[in-house]
Amino acid sequence: MYDILDSLNKEQREAASVLDGPVLVTAGAGSGKTRVLIARIANLIRNGVPPYQILAITFTNKAAREMSERLKGICDADDVITCTFHSFCARVLRRDGIYLGYTSNFTIYTEVESERVIKNILEKRNVDLKKKNTFAYHIGNAKNKGLNPDEYYSLIKNEIADAYLICDVYKDYEEELFKSNAMDFDDLLLKTEQLFRNYPNVLYHYASRYRYINIDEFQDTNQIQLEIVRHLCSEHNNIFVVGDEDQSIYGWRGAEIKNILDFSRHFPNARHIKLEQNYRSTTPILSAANNVIKHNLSRKDKVLWTAREGGEPIVLYEASSDRDESAYVCKKISYLVNNGYARYKDIAVLVRANSLTRLFEEDFNLHGIPYRIFGGFKFFERKEIKIFLSYLQLSVNPKDGIAFMRTVNNPKRGIGETTVEKLKAFADEKGVSMAEAVNIIDECDTITPSTRNKLIEFKKLIDDLCYKAPRMKASEFAKYTLEVSGLKETLNSGTEEDRLRYENMLELVGAITLFEESFENATLEDFLQYVSLMSDTDNMSDDNYVTIATIHMVKGLEFGTVFAVALEEGIFPSSMSMMSGDIEEERRLFYVAITRAKDRFFATWSKSRFRFNDFQYNPKSRFIEEMCGDVTPFAKPEPASVTAPGALKTNSYGSDYTKSSITQQSGQGQKDYSKFEPGKVVEHVKFGEGIITEVAGEGDNMIAAIMFKGLGIKRFALSVAYNLLKIKE
């Protein structure tokens, strides 16, 4: 085995060389913390520690597998236990859960299965099923805090009107799981801690076996995980943790930053080693990151630095509108790729919230930029959006069977899958659509009278929508549908997930509004057709695409070029954090965004933004000024001379733009855009013959709206589609 310590810098080597006692390694972004953790384990083995006495805990199964593979490449580490907290706890409970009344073959319930248990409890109690998510949230919150129903009641009784009911449902939920010999994911942690706390013989078995405990991403641990670790260290106190309090961004799901900040209090006489040398980013990027994070009070002081020389300045861009911002990002990406400065796969566009991805998705499609939504669905593929669109689709085509099946029990109406299957069979027998089948439902003997009534009530809703749709503006009708369908009420649970889903629906209403403004006499049918055609567009190559993601999803990843967009007060930092006064986690999130970049970092914001079906005029984020500091070199390009893709009305937003200092080289010779005029007939290689209805912009920024027979209107950036379109004289 080669000496892995020789490949480490001074601080890394110091950390990996400490064998005994508690050790805290605060490792800045890109400082090689995982490398240190692996080197430390290899060093333990080299110094005679049996591998089976070493426990390494990570936060994802992927990270655990990668650590195991890397260890096997440098030493005999087959018996080292590398796992997540949850998988370790499951292992403990399979062996010793009998002490708590569980057999070794207990079932681990998924989130879906847990929700089904809660639903059944609420039905028995005659509680509105639309509140299911609220109860699920509180049960999970209680377990993350390590509180039983009575303890949780004491915590929330003065703040939550339904506190007593919530805790009663929590009791019923626990009883149902126990009767089923089942645990949910939160139970794996909670029951293990209870086992260690109440059964000293069990604890002794594990605490004596695992002499050396190593934990990655310690800043992401919650209170229960900390208690488990303290139990495990009760015999030997050899605890080695690596983490970065500046990257603690999961407080919303229970992570406690104080676990790493108070490490020395929990483990007295701990050594503290800082890793500050960054191997990822350039000096301008690290200067920006340091400038931002130093404004936080809840942190251990460290300053990232790099031996890399040079580096491009940070770029700031203030857009006149969100459309201008999106167009700028598209143009800059095309410039970087076309001129060989970057590949699509090296570029990331980072947003604070999922609802912000829609405009970039639309414009990337328009400009032929391949992309993926990392860690989530594309906007129009998200479940809540598909359901919302299905309601709109039914209002213009009530015979749509797919839309009917997607909406009939969304939100929950007590119409189960079995009923839907019976209705489908009945409709097929009669040769009619499912909606039409409801009109003659009394003829169906396989569906009970009570369920028939529920189907009839749903059909009344669809009939109302069909009546209203042609009599209202598409955007107003969408808002009406959101209300009367029950979708809005269902997502009013107060949970973060439901809030984000509702924001996505509001974003869809906003998209419809913008569509109306872009095209004269635009109808709901036109918009639905536009969405279906856009959804079918797939520009993504096998492995070369721009990543669009929320910042939470890319922690631990790196990209050559990063665009952090929509940097405005109320968005980033979020309005919720501003109201609560808790800005520090938002600042840590921005720090994470900056430190994903290796070579280039772009920060953009907009003077106006059309969001949630309304214009917002928020000042730029406070993080911009913090990032600039006194020493960081920046370059601020002039506003781009672009007409925002899709905004064919050139005066839709903001003021006129001035010519950008950043130019894009086509590499294809001079293109003649003058022939693309309204009224001209064109031939597209894929869509066939069409007529130009509207044009906007100039030169490489020109956009044409073309009406194709049977397909409706499609929009093209002519700089991209130039060779695909032929003017018919």
Side-chain angles (χ1 to χ4, degrees):
M1 180 182 75
Y2 80 97
D3 192 347
I4 191 174
L5 299 184
D6 291 342
S7 65
L8 306 180
N9 67 34
K10 178 184 176 182
E11 291 75 19
Q12 291 173 332
R13 191 181 306 114
E14 179 188 358
S17 299
V18 181
L19 301 183
D20 298 309
V23 181
L24 167 65
V25 179
T26 52
S31 62
K33 61 181 177 60
T34 304
R35 187 180 188 188
V36 169
L37 189 57
I38 291 171
R40 198 261 181 165
I41 295 172
N43 196 33
L44 287 170
I45 296 171
R46 186 183 68 170
N47 281 272
V49 177
Y52 67 85
Q53 293 184 344
I54 301 173
L55 175 65
I57 295 178
T58 69
F59 267 79
T60 67
N61 289 313
K62 180 183 178 185
R65 288 193 300 270
E66 290 177 352
M67 183 180 294
S68 181
E69 291 168 1
R70 289 172 66 177
L71 278 169
K72 291 175 183 178
I74 58 176
C75 64
D76 183 13
D78 287 348
D79 293 330
V80 174
I81 303 299
T82 57
C83 58
T84 66
F85 268 105
H86 287 87
S87 61
F88 172 76
C89 290
R91 182 190 297 241
V92 170
L93 292 167
R94 294 290 183 200
R95 180 185 183 274
D96 296 300
I98 188 69
Y99 288 92
L100 301 176
Y102 295 89
T103 63
S104 61
N105 63 339
F106 66 84
T107 301
I108 301 174
Y109 277 2
T110 65
E111 184 178 345
V112 173
E113 290 164 334
S114 296
E115 288 180 353
R116 188 174 294 124
V117 175
I118 296 173
K119 176 190 171 189
N120 292 338
I121 294 169
L122 298 181
E123 285 179 336
K124 290 179 182 178
R125 289 176 168 270
N126 293 317
V127 178
D128 189 353
L129 294 181
K130 294 175 182 177
K131 297 181 179 180
K132 172 172 61 68
N133 290 347
T134 301
F135 286 92
Y137 164 77
H138 280 289
I139 291 172
N141 191 41
K143 291 189 176 186
N144 280 330
K145 296 179 183 296
L147 303 177
N148 63 36
D150 292 333
E151 291 168 336
Y152 192 62
Y153 175 73
S154 298
L155 179 69
I156 68 170
K157 64 181 180 181
N158 296 324
E159 300 176 6
I160 309 295
D162 291 332
Y164 189 82
L165 176 61
I166 287 169
C167 295
D168 251 14
V169 171
Y170 181 11
K171 287 178 183 177
D172 291 350
Y173 175 79
E174 291 292 89
E175 290 173 2
E176 285 298 321
L177 262 63
F178 186 76
K179 285 192 299 184
S180 301
N181 193 38
M183 301 185 198
D184 60 25
F185 271 76
D186 293 324
D187 282 331
L188 296 177
L189 302 178
L190 191 61
K191 303 299 184 187
T192 299
E193 195 281 325
Q194 290 175 359
L195 189 64
F196 287 168
R197 175 162 38 89
N198 296 322
Y199 297 90
N201 59 317
V202 175
L203 173 60
Y204 179 78
H205 170 80
Y206 293 97
S208 59
R209 173 177 174 174
Y210 298 114
R211 291 173 54 204
Y212 294 90
I213 298 167
N214 308 269
I215 302 175
D216 198 6
E217 304 287 4
F218 194 71
Q219 77 280 349
D220 294 333
T221 55
N222 62 24
Q223 185 61 38
I224 300 297
Q225 289 164 333
L226 174 65
E227 293 304 318
I228 291 171
V229 172
R230 292 178 68 184
H231 288 311
L232 288 172
C233 293
S234 59
E235 290 296 318
H236 301 290
N237 202 36
N238 295 324
I239 174 73
F240 183 94
V241 306
V242 294
D244 183 6
E245 75 283 358
D246 292 335
Q247 296 186 72
S248 179
I249 59 174
Y250 297 116
W252 52 276
R253 67 183 190 193
E256 295 277 4
I257 190 174
K258 65 181 182 181
N259 289 355
I260 191 169
L261 295 176
D262 297 342
F263 184 83
S264 296
R265 182 170 63 83
H266 297 301
F267 302 95
N269 302 314
R271 291 190 63 173
H272 178 206
I273 300 167
K274 293 189 287 186
L275 303 184
E276 297 175 292
Q277 184 174 359
N278 177 282
Y279 292 91
R280 175 185 300 156
S281 307
T282 62
T283 294
I285 291 170
L286 295 182
S287 296
N290 288 328
N291 285 345
V292 169
I293 203 63
K294 70 182 182 183
H295 289 81
N296 271 7
L297 300 178
S298 300
R299 65 186 299 265
K300 296 178 180 292
D301 183 53
K302 60 180 179 294
V303 178
L304 297 181
W305 64 277
T306 181
R308 290 182 63 182
E309 296 182 357
E312 296 184 23
I314 303 296
V315 178
L316 304 179
Y317 183 77
E318 182 178 65
S320 59
S321 70
D322 51 351
R323 295 254 172 190
D324 175 26
E325 179 186 44
S326 177
Y328 171 76
V329 172
C330 289
K331 186 172 183 175
K332 192 60 180 173
I333 289 173
S334 297
Y335 173 80
L336 291 170
V337 172
N338 292 342
N339 289 277
Y341 295 115
R343 298 169 298 177
Y344 290 124
K345 63 192 282 184
D346 301 323
I347 301 171
V349 177
L350 304 184
V351 297
R352 176 62 182 87
N354 275 316
S355 60
L356 294 163
T357 70
R358 180 192 60 80
L359 190 57
F360 292 95
E361 290 183 56
E362 288 189 12
D363 286 358
F364 281 13
N365 276 320
L366 184 66
H367 285 78
I369 297 174
Y371 73 93
R372 66 167 179 171
I373 302 295
F374 183 78
F377 295 101
K378 294 182 178 181
F379 183 83
F380 291 107
E381 293 174 359
R382 291 168 187 159
K383 181 180 178 181
E384 66 272 15
I385 297 301
K386 282 188 171 183
I387 292 170
F388 194 1
L389 285 171
S390 292
Y391 273 103
L392 301 180
Q393 188 63 53
L394 275 180
S395 71
V396 301
N397 178 21
K399 293 185 179 182
D400 189 327
I402 298 298
F404 186 96
M405 287 189 287
R406 187 174 283 149
T407 56
V408 67
N409 204 39
N410 279 304
K412 302 295 184 184
R413 298 185 175 88
I415 303 171
E417 292 181 6
T418 302
T419 297
V420 174
E421 290 172 1
K422 290 177 179 178
L423 179 65
K424 180 68 166 61
F426 175 67
D428 292 343
E429 179 189 331
K430 297 294 184 179
V432 297
S433 70
M434 295 180 73
E436 290 170 323
V438 177
N439 294 332
I440 52 174
I441 195 67
D442 288 342
E443 299 178 21
C444 182
D445 298 330
T446 59
I447 298 177
T448 64
S450 61
T451 307
R452 290 179 199 171
N453 290 334
K454 294 173 183 176
L455 286 167
I456 291 169
E457 286 301 310
F458 175 70
K459 181 58 165 52
K460 288 180 181 177
L461 169 63
I462 300 305
D463 289 343
D464 175 66
L465 294 178
C466 289
Y467 177 79
K468 294 282 195 339
R471 293 166 172 79
M472 300 173 69
K473 285 182 62 179
S475 55
E476 293 300 319
F477 176 74
K479 288 189 285 186
Y480 175 78
T481 301
L482 192 56
E483 293 279 352
V484 300
S485 64
L487 292 173
K488 179 180 178 179
E489 185 180 357
T490 302
L491 298 175
N492 194 32
S493 68
T495 68
E496 178 72 3
E497 288 184 353
D498 279 352
R499 183 184 68 81
L500 293 175
R501 291 190 184 104
Y502 182 58
E503 285 185 357
N504 287 338
M505 290 188 179
L506 291 179
E507 181 66 17
L508 180 63
V509 176
I512 296 172
T513 302
L514 290 177
F515 187 83
E516 288 174 330
E517 292 184 357
S518 298
F519 300 102
E520 190 175 352
N521 300 319
T523 65
L524 180 61
E525 292 95 324
D526 293 332
F527 177 78
L528 292 171
Q529 180 173 270
Y530 160 73
V531 170
S532 66
L533 291 173
M534 192 188 76
S535 299
D536 288 339
T537 302
D538 188 5
N539 294 313
M540 188 183 298
S541 61
D542 290 338
D543 62 355
N544 193 24
Y545 40 69
V546 175
T547 293
I548 304 176
T550 64
I551 302 165
H552 284 100
M553 294 305 305
V554 296
K555 183 174 172 290
L557 303 180
E558 59 184 39
F559 305 89
T561 301
V562 169
F563 293 84
V565 301
L567 301 179
E568 297 133 37
E569 294 285 298
I571 296 178
F572 202 1
S574 70
S575 56
M576 292 184 65
S577 68
M578 293 169 65
M579 288 187 290
S580 66
D582 184 18
I583 300 295
E584 292 209 351
E585 182 157 323
E586 290 289 291
R587 187 174 285 111
R588 292 193 291 269
L589 192 60
F590 187 55
Y591 171 85
V592 168
I594 298 172
T595 54
R596 297 314 92 197
K598 295 193 293 184
D599 305 310
R600 301 174 196 86
F601 183 76
F602 295 79
T604 70
W605 65 96
S606 177
K607 293 179 180 178
S608 70
R609 186 172 303 279
F610 193 77
R611 194 164 183 242
F612 309 147
N613 202 38
D614 197 11
F615 282 100
Q616 296 180 1
Y617 302 92
N618 298 323
K620 66 182 178 184
S621 171
R622 68 192 72 188
F623 301 150
I624 301 294
E625 297 295 338
E626 294 176 1
M627 180 176 64
C628 292
D630 298 323
V631 295
T632 305
F634 289 91
K636 182 178 179 181
E638 294 294 321
S641 177
V642 299
T643 297
L648 296 181
K649 297 179 180 179
T650 57
N651 63 344
S652 292
Y653 312 112
S655 58
D656 293 336
Y657 313 136
T658 59
K659 182 77 174 173
S660 174
S661 61
I662 301 176
T663 59
Q664 182 176 342
Q665 304 298 319
S666 68
Q668 299 177 352
Q670 188 66 34
K671 296 174 181 175
D672 181 13
Y673 298 113
S674 62
K675 58 186 179 180
F676 292 91
E677 300 175 345
K680 287 288 185 71
V681 177
V682 298
E683 183 80 21
H684 188 277
V685 296
K686 179 179 178 181
F687 303 119
E689 191 174 285
I691 185 169
I692 301 174
T693 61
E694 206 167 356
V695 295
E698 297 178 354
D700 283 347
N701 300 307
M702 183 176 287
I703 295 170
I706 303 175
M707 175 70 76
F708 294 98
K709 187 177 180 180
L711 296 175
I713 293 175
K714 293 183 71 67
R715 292 170 290 175
F716 299 88
L718 293 182
S719 61
V720 176
Y722 188 85
N723 294 323
L724 304 177
L725 294 165
K726 180 181 179 182
I727 297 289
K728 299 188 71 174
E729 304 295 342

